[in-house]
Amino acid sequence: MNLTTSKEHYLKTIYSLSDDNQGVHITEIAEKLEISKASVCTAMKALQEGNYIYRGKKRLVYLTKKGEMQARSLTEKFETIQCFLMRILHIDSEIAAQDACVMEHVVSTETLHAMLSLTNQH
Amino acid sequence: MNLTTSKEHYLKTIYSLSDDNQGVHITEIAEKLEISKASVCTAMKALQEGNYIYRGKKRLVYLTKKGEMQARSLTEKFETIQCFLMRILHIDSEIAAQDACVMEHVVSTETLHAMLSLTNQH
DNA sequence: ACAGGTGGTTAGATAAGACTAACTTCAAAA
DNA sequence: TTTTGAAGTTAGTCTTATCTAACCACCTGT
């Protein structure tokens, strides 16, 4: 299975919701993303196929090592972009978050690195 | 009809292919985007619905005023982003183009303005 | 124990965007 | 004028991502 933008979103959400990977309810994910439980359920099957998550006790959703690495990477990208937008371009945090949230899935590593170093040396 | 990323792409492509809006062949668009004629044909119907294009002599595709404005706006966004990436972040023009090509459809006007002014004052 | 409610799942629909294959249209060359 | 190849169109399929509605499963409180 390939990670699409949508799937990456799910991973990031699971990561952000699970405290120390203690497992997340499908309902929680649905509420956070403001989408139906059914959609989440379907997506979880695909992510399980791809070995990004597994279902544990009480049907909770857990990230696998692979899933966790992906999620962490995405979260880092998000933060890099958001910080860059805020500190270098002086964008409001709300809007910076929105922009970062779409950019994180598409931006090249080159651009990402450049953003990071410019933000740091600032 | 709503302009999606895909539709915006078509508009930009038509704009770039038509010299002074002299009309473009569906085949040209298909070749430029490396996509089937059939897909382009279907998309053109939707764009016509939304009054972004019309079909003229010899079935050529022409931008309407509305379509042209959109296309120009997108092209400007693209250029703003590409220049920013190249001049401020020192990204290679090839990669900058790729990144700009996806970012142009999603980035906020705030970020866009900030990129423009930073590039200019540079 | 069982009735409800919460959480999860399944089935079926819709929409966008792409595809191939087969068809039509048309204009230019013979 | 007829033919033929390029351009365009249509029909039907696939994938992804979403939805609603109906259903199942399990835990909990009475």
Side-chain angles (χ1 to χ4, degrees), chain B residues 49-93:
Chain B
E49 274 294 302
N51 245 289
Y52 291 96
I53 63 154
Y54 62 95
R55 308 296 297 268
K57 289 276 158 77
K58 299 182 181 180
R59 298 156 167 184
L60 286 168
V61 175
Y62 297 86
L63 292 170
T64 60
K65 258 270 121 359
K66 184 182 173 190
E68 194 178 326
M69 278 170 58
Q70 264 295 333
R72 205 190 324 266
S73 154
L74 284 162
T75 304
E76 275 163 19
K77 281 188 195 182
F78 172 83
E79 274 157 17
T80 299
I81 299 167
Q82 191 189 20
C83 285
F84 173 81
L85 293 175
M86 288 170 67
R87 298 200 202 145
I88 309 298
L89 297 188
H90 309 297
I91 305 296
D92 172 80
S93 82

Side-chain angles (χ1 to χ4, degrees), chain A:
Chain A
M1 191 223 46
N2 251 6
L3 274 186
T4 59
T5 290
S6 161
K7 297 285 157 54
E8 289 185 342
H9 247 294
Y10 283 113
L11 286 182
K12 236 186 68 180
T13 305
I14 296 164
Y15 184 69
S16 80
L17 286 176
S18 62
D19 210 39
D20 211 14
N21 208 10
Q22 292 306 291
V24 194
H25 279 286
I26 277 183
T27 301
E28 290 177 79
I29 303 170
E31 277 165 8
K32 181 77 176 284
L33 292 175
E34 298 184 64
I35 100 188
S36 73
K37 286 186 300 171
S39 302
V40 178
C41 189
T42 308
M44 290 308 107
K45 274 196 238 159
L47 286 176
Q48 193 163 9
E49 273 296 299
N51 246 289
Y52 291 97
I53 63 153
Y54 62 94
R55 306 297 297 270
K57 288 276 156 75
K58 298 181 182 181
R59 297 154 168 187
L60 286 168
V61 175
Y62 296 86
L63 291 170
T64 60
K65 258 269 126 351
K66 184 181 173 190
E68 195 179 325
M69 279 171 57
Q70 264 295 335
R72 203 188 328 261
S73 154
L74 284 162
T75 303
E76 275 163 20
K77 282 188 193 181
F78 172 82
E79 273 157 18
T80 298
I81 299 168
Q82 191 189 20
C83 284
F84 172 81
L85 293 175
M86 289 172 66
R87 299 201 200 144
I88 309 296
L89 298 187
H90 309 298
I91 305 297
D92 172 81
S93 83
E94 191 83 1
I95 294 177
Q98 272 171 230
D99 282 4
C101 201
V102 282
M103 287 171 65
E104 71 187 9
H105 306 284
V106 296
V107 142
S108 65
T109 47
E110 282 85 348
T111 296
L112 209 65
H113 287 340
M115 285 180 173
L116 187 59
S117 68
L118 204 68
T119 307
N120 284 339
Q121 85 186 48
H122 183 71

Side-chain angles (χ1 to χ4, degrees), chain B residues 15-114:
Chain B
Y15 184 69
S16 79
L17 286 176
S18 62
D19 210 41
D20 212 14
N21 208 11
Q22 292 305 294
V24 193
H25 280 288
I26 278 183
T27 301
E28 290 177 78
I29 304 170
E31 277 166 7
K32 181 77 176 283
L33 292 175
E34 298 184 66
I35 226 179
S36 73
K37 288 184 301 172
S39 302
V40 177
C41 188
T42 309
M44 289 309 107
K45 274 196 237 157
L47 286 175
Q48 192 162 10
E49 274 294 302
N51 245 289
Y52 291 96
I53 63 154
Y54 62 95
R55 308 296 297 268
K57 289 276 158 77
K58 299 182 181 180
R59 298 156 167 184
L60 286 168
V61 175
Y62 297 86
L63 292 170
T64 60
K65 258 270 121 359
K66 184 182 173 190
E68 194 178 326
M69 278 170 58
Q70 264 295 333
R72 205 190 324 266
S73 154
L74 284 162
T75 304
E76 275 163 19
K77 281 188 195 182
F78 172 83
E79 274 157 17
T80 299
I81 299 167
Q82 191 189 20
C83 285
F84 173 81
L85 293 175
M86 288 170 67
R87 298 200 202 145
I88 309 298
L89 297 188
H90 309 297
I91 305 296
D92 172 80
S93 82
E94 191 82 2
I95 294 177
Q98 272 172 230
D99 281 5
C101 200
V102 283
M103 286 170 67
E104 71 187 9
H105 307 284
V106 296
V107 142
S108 64
T109 48
E110 283 85 347
T111 296
L112 209 65
H113 288 339

